Amino acid sequence: MANLGVEFAGVEFKNPVLIASSSLTNHPTKLRRLEEAGAGGIVTKLASNAVPPRVDRQPYRSVMLGNGAWTVAGGDRRLTLEEGVDLIKTAKKELHIPIIANVNGKSYFADSWVEAGLALEKAGADMLEIPLSAHIYHEEEDGIPVFTGDSIGQYPELVGAMTRALKDAVKIPVIAKVSPYVIDVSLLGLAAKQGGADGLTAAARAGGFAGVDIRNGGKPIFPGIELEDGTPAQSLSGPMGAPSTHVSPYYTIVLAKNVGLPLSSVGGIMDWEIAVQRLMVGATTAQLCSTVYLNGLKAVTDCVAGMNRFLDEYGYRSPADIIGLGLPYIVDREQLVFHPLKAVITDTSWNGWDEVVERVQGDCLALTMQGGVPVIDQDACTGCSLCYWYAPEGAVRIDVQK
Ligand SMILES: Cc1cc2nc3c(=O)[nH]c(=O)nc-3n(C[C@H](O)[C@H](O)[C@H](O)COP(=O)(O)O)c2cc1C
Ligand code: SF4
């Protein structure tokens, strides 16, 4: 039987399934339920000594986008530093799993970050996670705009400086949740490493937009949010959940290959198979968020159980055995050698071939129906494999021509 325990950035977790910072983690009752459901650790809701008066005092409003995608209109209410301290104190009294405090300070004023970090350490946090890509808004100090949230996360110098300030102040490990709003995320990871980070969270969610009501003059699709003068309004808000399943691993992989710090992967981890995927591409822990909102606490229990079954079935003794297994196979595109492929139909009797031909005909010049039977012109087949994916399993074979 596998032992699910992992060591991540200097802290021992009973399993690699963590809960990401969000409103799921802003209340002691929710934390208790998450522990009971089997979470290996919890990242608490952002506590900050820079809570803007209006924007970040709102509870989130969900907007369902379908197919496992959703977003929150206008962000989510963050905790004041005092609320964060109380939450951590209660959690440390009542729970037995590691508690990671998601924390930031005001703009790029390192003293403010340090003050917040020290308070949460004193409250009992086992680790700090600094979200370097919190909500976008701009403040002014003596009439001069100062950096907050996203803008800090985009500058390696500031990432390094905030990490260093906290590392020099606290004794517990500090991990940096890096911003995806950059061309090369490794620069941020390396800056955090230089600042002394013990690990990285890969990565905050990327930008996006829920949509407008096309049948209502382009107004917001969600009611109850407006400008002070009563005009309906909304902000940009990236999709979460399933859309990130194949976006977030990009950051995990790039950071795993280029930075060499322990990684916690987050974004679109909807089930145990995706969690195993993230470990195989270099993460030590996997953070669940959207799946818990969309599927309940069972998502946590199922993820832990599924990972356990998987390790047993394939003879791995612990998560450490699979961390990074897939990385050596992920290389620069220029290094790839493509062998020619040809599609061969192995079941002409299936009655859905007309539809496959219709679907692929935008690009495929090889597959046609002749006398009610699908035929592939081998010379014209480019091996694109579209027909393979549309046909049922076993109806098309792809031959590799070496
Ligand atoms: C309502 C809500 C509030 C969130 N609050 C925070 C936060 O305070 N700090 C933070 O670093 N991330 C926050 N996040 C982002 C999540 O931690 C996570 O990175 C993101 O949702 C991507 O994971 P997912 O695709 O599984 O949802 C929040 C997400 C949601 C849905
Ligand atoms: S592999 Fe691509 S090109 Fe070849 S038959 Fe199928 S769809 Fe057409």
Side-chain angles (χ1 to χ4, degrees), residues 19-25 43-47 60 70-72 75-79 102-103 129-135 177 201 203-205 239-245 248 266-270 287-293:
I19 310 302
S21 175
S22 58
S23 68
L24 297 170
T25 64
V43 191
T44 49
K45 174 70 198 171
L46 174 58
Y60 79 90
W70 74 304
T71 189
V72 291
D76 179 40
R77 180 192 176 279
R78 67 179 57 173
L79 303 176
N102 189 264
V103 57
E129 177 184 74
I130 46 174
L132 292 156
S133 182
H135 306 158
K177 187 170 183 177
T201 301
R205 88 181 137 133
M240 295 173 301
S244 307
T245 298
S248 297
V266 66
I269 303 181
M270 307 305 279
Q287 298 187 16
L288 307 186
C289 190
S290 281
T291 188
V292 184
Y293 281 98

Side-chain angles (χ1 to χ4, degrees), residues 309-322:
R309 268 196 320 273
F310 170 81
L311 293 178
D312 281 346
E313 188 180 341
Y314 285 85
Y316 297 114
R317 284 156 307 161
S318 77
D321 285 355
I322 64 168

Side-chain angles (χ1 to χ4, degrees), residues 342-343 360 363-367 376 380-388 396 398:
K342 294 288 177 189
V360 303
D363 196 41
C364 169
L365 300 176
L367 177 63
I376 292 178
C381 175
T382 61
C384 76
S385 309
L386 280 177
C387 58
Y388 170 84
V396 174
I398 299 290

Side-chain angles (χ1 to χ4, degrees), residues 337-342 398-402:
V337 176
F338 286 86
H339 297 290
L341 303 180
K342 294 288 177 189
I398 299 290
D399 284 347
V400 181
Q401 308 204 315
K402 280 199 186 177

Side-chain angles (χ1 to χ4, degrees), residues 226-240:
E226 53 190 32
L227 300 178
E228 267 174 9
D229 67 4
T231 313
Q234 60 178 333
S235 57
L236 296 171
S237 188
M240 295 173 301

Side-chain angles (χ1 to χ4, degrees), residues 26 55 71 80 87 89 106 138 142 167 197 218 232 264 286 354 379:
N26 68 3
V55 179
T71 189
T80 62
L87 180 65
K89 277 186 182 163
K106 186 177 180 193
H138 299 281
D142 298 331
K167 273 303 290 177
S264 191
D354 282 323
D379 290 337

